[in-house]
Amino acid sequence: MSGLNAKATLGPAETARLASLAEELGYRSWWAGDHVVLPSPRVADSPMEPTDPILDPLVHLSYVAAVTERIELATGIVILPQRNPLVLAKQVASLDVLSGGRVLLGVGAGYLEPEMTAVGVPMAGRGARSDEYLDAMTALWTQPAPEFHGRYVSFDHVDAHPRPARAGGVKIVVGGHSPGAFRRAVSRGHGWFGNGAGVTDLLRHLAGLHRAAAEVDRPARLGRLEINWMQLDPVAVTADDAGRYAALGVDRLVVYPLPLTDPAEVATFLERHADLPH
């Protein structure tokens, strides 16, 4: 389930009701998106109107954590270059501890130039910055005496506790469809998050991941790359769709109940899709 930290579903009562319903229905994961600001007036690449409300994903997931017990809490995705990596590592570790180890940190390099400029981050080099931020966060979570020295972040003789509930740190899920995102997923992610219109799009992206696997090394600590997929068009997913995705190796099928204008319609969508593997 994705996107419910936005529009008509973001209120406290709606969040508590829909999160509890999703868990009761057996949904495995709950994903929250991220935009600090949006271009105004709207530009072609923007997914939302500038007046569309969207909550900070980590604040939203903290609320969801408090009203649920089992469902995974995922960012889908945090725009990583816009975040200070040490502050983000602290926030994510804190949420992971309070939720009992349920956090998946989905990240992306970003693509909206007006948003990145507004928060003081250049578009150029955002991929390299993302790679470095992930390495720095991993060092802070896993090293006995954390130390990291790079172009964009550098630290030593500091520490941060509590560590995430999982010994190897919070699971990282890399989102995106570019060659750089595919390489980042293979080299630094426990999983990959993608979206598209259907099986044809997924096959194209899986081919990109396969090419990336031949170009970069994958650390053994990451294990097998988990595949997370969200169908965008149509938003309704059939049992046949789900079966085809499972046959292609999708680990988490994420549904997106657009247009998010009526919480009651979202609840009905959840109920209709509850029998699919998530």
Side-chain angles (χ1 to χ4, degrees), residues 37-220:
V37 294
L38 289 160
S40 182
R42 184 176 184 175
V43 298
D45 290 340
S46 180
M48 303 172 67
E49 294 292 340
T51 53
D52 287 337
I54 179 170
L55 298 176
D56 177 272
L58 295 173
V59 174
H60 168 79
L61 291 174
S62 297
Y63 191 92
V64 174
V67 298
T68 58
E69 297 179 352
R70 299 177 304 278
I71 200 165
E72 293 174 320
L73 310 167
T75 56
I77 49 70
V78 160
I79 305 170
L80 185 56
Q82 298 180 172
R83 306 272 178 156
N84 179 291
L86 273 67
V87 174
L88 180 60
K90 169 63 78 172
Q91 293 171 326
V92 172
S94 300
L95 176 57
D96 198 51
V97 168
L98 288 174
S99 66
R102 290 190 276 153
V103 175
L104 302 174
L105 178 61
V107 300
Y111 65 95
L112 284 176
E113 185 276 331
E115 180 178 19
M116 300 193 78
T117 297
V119 298
V121 178
M123 287 285 283
R126 67 191 185 280
R129 187 185 295 267
S130 296
D131 291 342
E132 192 171 293
Y133 282 11
L134 288 175
D135 293 344
M137 294 171 68
T138 299
L140 193 63
W141 285 336
T142 63
Q143 292 180 4
E147 180 176 355
F148 184 85
H149 299 284
R151 177 181 178 186
Y152 302 105
V153 57
S154 182
F155 59 84
D156 57 24
H157 295 94
V158 296
D159 211 335
H161 290 267
R163 300 292 173 84
R166 182 176 171 274
V170 170
K171 281 190 173 183
I172 301 296
V173 178
V174 176
H177 307 137
S178 69
F182 293 144
R183 290 190 294 269
R184 187 169 304 115
V186 170
S187 62
R188 292 174 170 84
H190 298 87
W192 168 78
F193 183 90
N195 59 61
V199 168
T200 300
D201 284 348
L202 175 59
L203 285 170
R204 184 173 69 255
H205 299 324
L206 292 177
L209 289 167
H210 182 73
R211 288 191 295 270
E215 298 169 359
V216 296
D217 294 329
R218 181 168 180 79

